[in-house]
Amino acid sequence: HVQLVESGGGLVQPGGSLRLSCTVSNERYKNRCMGWFRQAPGLEREGVAAIYTGGGDAYYADSVKGRFSMSEDNAKNTVYLQMDSLKPEDTAMYYCAADPDVSRGFWFRPDQYADWGQGTQVTVS
């Protein structure tokens, strides 16, 4: 298992931007699928972006495509979620998740991930 530490949430006006960070706290960063999920009160956890560490392509949910961008810095064992053109409906707790065995096409299923961060709140208002 790995430990995940998120940061970067906050309050932003509609149309604004935020960048979330998720750092893997040990050496087991490589060869994992890293996902960003969000959960608003009363709703199910929703996958928004995912990437295979080590230079893999990023994948996005339709709800954020063209507005969110996921990237990584291997030297820092960190993935980022750049969120632009934020909307009130993007308001949620955002979680980072990691797992070495997520099959392609299953990136946005929470049950595919073993390790989760504590979450960081994003409020667009």
Side-chain angles (χ1 to χ4, degrees), residues 12 16-20 36-38 46-50 58-71 80-87 89-92 94 122 124:
V12 64
S17 298
L18 284 173
R19 189 177 79 158
L20 306 183
W36 284 102
F37 290 77
R38 65 186 182 186
E46 172 193 21
V48 297
Y59 305 93
Y60 302 97
D62 288 342
S63 58
V64 305
K65 201 170 292 183
R67 301 188 298 121
F68 290 12
S69 177
M70 188 171 183
S71 61
Y80 302 97
L81 185 67
Q82 177 66 40
M83 304 185 295
D84 299 320
S85 302
L86 283 162
K87 305 175 182 180
E89 52 263 44
D90 294 317
T91 295
Y94 281 71
V122 171
V124 185

Side-chain angles (χ1 to χ4, degrees), residues 4-10 20-22 36-39 45 92-97 116-122:
L4 307 174
V5 179
E6 301 124 331
S7 62
L20 306 183
S21 300
C22 174
W36 284 102
F37 290 77
R38 65 186 182 186
Q39 189 167 20
R45 192 163 294 191
M93 185 72 78
Y94 281 71
Y95 297 91
C96 177
W116 292 83
Q118 80 285 356
T120 184
Q121 179 68 37
V122 171

